[in-house]
């Protein structure tokens, strides 16, 4: 199969390309990536001789038409992905997440190609802390932030193109990923690189918010399974049942893994509109496609965190040049 991977120089996309080259070498991979602040071609250096890399924008109709015509499946990761940035400037989110996805849909419709659209649990909004429910494929959409509303918009476009035009598409909605190559603006790598820089971790608001963490390789094994066995037109929830509050679990876990006292952190301004709790029910993916995550329960999460801390420690040249600008942008908001 010829895979066209959008956003393949970003965090999850790059890990997907590594995973594909290692575990599915029968596929040919072409990456299209605009190389925004979040895209780094060095993320693909170890596999660059095994793939085709195109620097380009998914909003570029002509370029997309050519690349989609020449592939079998589009795996669509490209997006503006960070909630805090979407609160500072929503426009790139509207442009890439909605218009970019529209361009992809039109290209796959024209050329009759398969699409897998990567999305997020945030399209469902949030749950109360004491709500016994988890998000399922049938949960109603109720996004909160400019980021999540543009992702919800992109999901709706995909669903409409499936129903109205019969395109061959699947969607996955995944929970919070962690692992190597994640931009240091995001929570886990921000705190790891803070500690490595002798800066205290920064906890938003009360820290009572809950996130459902998944190792990026578990997300990507799910994506490959959906590419192979997913039912055309269907949506799949991806989550590994690792729900933790930001302060009680994740900060304690990161501080423990990195040998710091539990209270070595700063409380900073909360995120406006901060979603309280995400929790995923991935039983459809497990039951129908036989998916099993590798990094499960507390032990699995601690193993994944240790591996991630080691990666950031051993790849300081990858993040150190960006660190002061990222922290300066947060400091302006008291975060
Ligand atoms: P990221 O920000 O690390 O990477 C995004 C990549 O897309 C970058 O390489 C960037 O250069 C590229 N890109 C942005 N705009 C583009 C454009 N117009 N044309 C071409 N390339 C463009 O994001 P990520 O965390 O790897 O997320 C990837 C996908 O997974 C996104 O769709 C996101 O919504 C989804 N997702 C992320 C998570 C998570 O926890 N990070 C969880 C669930 C779903
Ligand atoms: O749930 C899936 C989503 O997970 C993806 O769709 C997004 O692309 C991805 O960025 C992520 O969104 P979050 O906003 O949940 O992740 P973030 O890493 O920004 O923050 C995780 C939690 O930690 C959140 O409750 C905010 C909090 N936080 C974040 C930062 C950066 C802090 O307490 N301190 C911080 O410094």
């Amino acid at each position: 199969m010829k895979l066209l991977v959008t956003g393949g120089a970003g965090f999850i996309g790059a890990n997907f390309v590594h995973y594909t080259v290692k575990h599915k070498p029968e596929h040919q991979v072409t990456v299209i990536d605009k190389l925004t602040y979040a895209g780094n071609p060095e993320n693909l250096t170890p596999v660059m001789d095994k793939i085709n890399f195109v620097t380009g924008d998914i909003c570029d109709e002509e370029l997309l038409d050519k690349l989609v015509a020449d592939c079998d499946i589009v795996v669509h990761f490209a997006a503006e992905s960070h909630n805090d940035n979407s609160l500072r400037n929503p426009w790139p989110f509207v442009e890439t997440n909605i218009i970019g996805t529209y361009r992809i849909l039109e290209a796959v419709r024209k050329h009759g190609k398969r699409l897998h659209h990567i999305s997020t649990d945030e399209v469902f909004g949030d749950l109360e802390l004491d709500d016994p429910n988890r998000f399922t494929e049938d949960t109603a959409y109720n996004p909160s932030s400019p980021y999540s509303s543009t992702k919800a918009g992109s999901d709706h476009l995909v669903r409409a193109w499936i129903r109205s035009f019969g395109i061959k598409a699947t969607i996955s909605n995944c929970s919070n990923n962690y692992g190597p190559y994640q931009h240091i603006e995001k929570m886990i790598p921000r705190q790891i690189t803070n500690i490595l820089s002798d800066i205290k971790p920064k906890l938003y608001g009360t820290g009572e918010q809950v996130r459902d963490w998944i190792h990026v390789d578990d997300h990507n094994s799910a994506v490959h399974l959906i590419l192979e066995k997913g039912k055309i037109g269907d949506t799949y929830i991806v989550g590994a049942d690792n729900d933790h509050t930001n302060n009680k679990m994740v900060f304690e876990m990161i501080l423990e893994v990195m040998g710091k006292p539990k209270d070595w952190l700063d409380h900073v301004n909360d995120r406006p509109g901060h979603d309280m709790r995400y929790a995923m029910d991935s039983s459809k993916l497990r039951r129908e496609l036989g998916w099993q995550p590798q990094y499960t329960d507390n032990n699995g999460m601690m193993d994944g965190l240790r591996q991630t801390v080691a990666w950031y420690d051993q790849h300081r040249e990858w993040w150190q040049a960006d660190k002061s600008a990222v922290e300066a942008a947060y400091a302006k908001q008291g975060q």
Side-chain angles (χ1 to χ4, degrees), residues 212-232:
D212 189 355
W213 294 98
I214 182 171
H215 191 279
V216 64
D217 286 344
D218 281 334
H219 182 181
N220 283 327
S221 73
V223 172
H224 267 293
L225 211 50
I226 297 166
L227 292 178
E228 283 156 26
K229 298 202 247 167
K231 186 167 164 234
I232 296 299

Side-chain angles (χ1 to χ4, degrees), residues 9-279:
F11 162 48
I12 306 175
N15 278 288
F16 176 82
V17 174
H18 286 270
Y19 188 98
T20 306
V21 168
K22 187 169 172 194
H23 298 288
K24 310 278 172 185
E26 65 277 16
H27 295 314
Q28 286 176 41
V29 175
T30 296
V31 168
I32 173 179
D33 198 296
K34 188 179 174 182
L35 300 182
T36 67
Y37 79 95
N40 184 347
E42 284 175 27
N43 297 355
L44 296 171
T45 302
V47 293
M48 205 52 112
D49 58 337
K50 299 191 172 64
I51 65 167
N52 302 314
F53 185 84
V54 178
T55 305
D57 191 333
I58 55 165
C59 298
D60 179 340
E61 189 177 355
E62 209 175 307
L63 174 63
L64 211 58
D65 187 78
K66 199 172 88 187
L67 294 174
V68 171
D70 191 36
C71 77
D72 299 306
I73 305 179
V74 181
V75 191
H76 178 30
F77 292 94
E80 286 292 335
S81 69
H82 191 39
N83 276 298
D84 292 319
N85 292 344
S86 81
L87 297 165
R88 291 176 197 140
N89 177 17
W91 166 243
F93 291 75
V94 174
E95 187 175 44
T96 287
N97 300 359
I98 296 185
I99 299 174
T101 301
Y102 161 77
R103 295 273 182 237
I104 286 170
L105 287 165
E106 284 296 80
V108 299
R109 174 157 87 105
K110 177 173 169 193
H111 295 289
K113 300 300 169 75
R114 165 93 192 272
L115 167 67
H116 180 67
H117 175 63
I118 306 292
S119 193
T120 167
D121 55 5
E122 296 196 17
V123 300
F124 304 119
D126 59 354
L127 297 160
E128 296 295 332
L129 289 179
D130 58 356
D131 189 332
N133 293 309
R134 305 178 79 83
F135 298 136
T136 73
E137 288 78 5
D138 299 322
T139 304
Y141 278 43
N142 186 27
S144 316
S145 73
Y147 162 67
S148 54
S149 59
T150 58
K151 289 300 290 187
S154 69
D155 290 15
H156 286 314
L157 292 179
V158 176
R159 288 173 175 210
W161 261 243
I162 292 168
R163 177 163 170 163
S164 305
F165 304 122
I167 66 160
K168 293 172 284 181
T170 39
I171 299 175
S172 52
N173 296 87
C174 187
S175 58
N176 285 63
N177 286 221
Y178 68 96
Y181 298 107
Q182 186 168 30
H183 196 280
I184 56 167
E185 67 191 355
K186 302 290 186 344
M187 204 270 252
I188 287 182
R190 184 183 183 204
Q191 315 315 337
I192 292 172
T193 56
N194 271 4
I195 296 168
L196 291 173
S197 310
D198 212 24
I199 303 169
K200 286 183 182 173
K202 311 291 179 200
L203 182 65
Y204 289 178
T206 62
E208 285 299 306
Q209 292 78 12
V210 173
R211 293 296 181 268
D212 189 355
W213 294 98
I214 182 171
H215 191 279
V216 64
D217 286 344
D218 281 334
H219 182 181
N220 283 327
S221 73
V223 172
H224 267 293
L225 211 50
I226 297 166
L227 292 178
E228 283 156 26
K229 298 202 247 167
K231 186 167 164 234
I232 296 299
D234 269 22
T235 291
Y236 295 89
I237 294 284
V238 186
D241 299 340
N242 285 315
D243 334 358
H244 303 294
T245 64
N246 292 337
N247 56 1
K248 291 208 185 86
M249 299 303 288
V250 176
F251 276 88
E252 286 178 19
M253 284 168 145
I254 294 172
L255 288 168
E256 185 184 323
V257 165
M258 298 187 74
K260 294 282 183 192
K262 279 180 183 171
D263 58 352
W264 198 69
L265 55 88
D266 285 333
H267 291 271
V268 296
N269 287 347
D270 205 354
R271 175 184 283 171
H274 201 170
D275 277 343
M276 189 48 89
R277 171 172 162 251
Y278 307 140

